[in-house]
Amino acid sequence: MSFSIREARVSDIPDLARLHVKAFNETHCGGREYGPSFEIRERQWREAFSGSDQSWFCFVIEDEQKEPVAC
């Protein structure tokens, strides 16, 4: 399996939020959904993208089907 890395885009926000929730729950909650919700993570990602600080960046790792698998 191969992967590609690219800069994240605003259109990636729903996928980034989903990945963020899944990773947090698997890491800190034993896979149970006790961590921050999708809505909270989506808002946080939208805030990150709306910032004017040019030092902020995010990369997305995609699988062969162009589905984001990590950020």
Side-chain angles (χ1 to χ4, degrees), residues 51-57:
S52 60
D53 181 359
Q54 298 300 313
S55 68
W56 184 87
F57 62 92

Side-chain angles (χ1 to χ4, degrees), residues 9-22:
R9 301 181 287 255
V10 171
S11 61
D12 293 317
I13 289 174
D15 288 325
L16 294 170
R18 180 183 49 79
L19 288 168
H20 199 165
V21 168
K22 183 178 179 181

Side-chain angles (χ1 to χ4, degrees), residues 28-68:
H28 301 287
C29 303
R32 296 178 305 276
E33 295 187 22
Y34 294 133
S37 68
F38 172 84
E39 292 78 15
I40 289 171
R41 293 302 191 202
E42 185 178 38
R43 180 181 50 77
Q44 290 172 332
W45 280 105
R46 288 196 187 283
E47 288 173 1
F49 273 90
S50 69
S52 60
D53 181 359
Q54 298 300 313
S55 68
W56 184 87
F57 62 92
C58 179
F59 292 103
V60 171
I61 301 170
E62 296 177 325
D63 63 14
E64 293 171 332
Q65 289 75 41
K66 301 292 185 194
E67 290 294 322

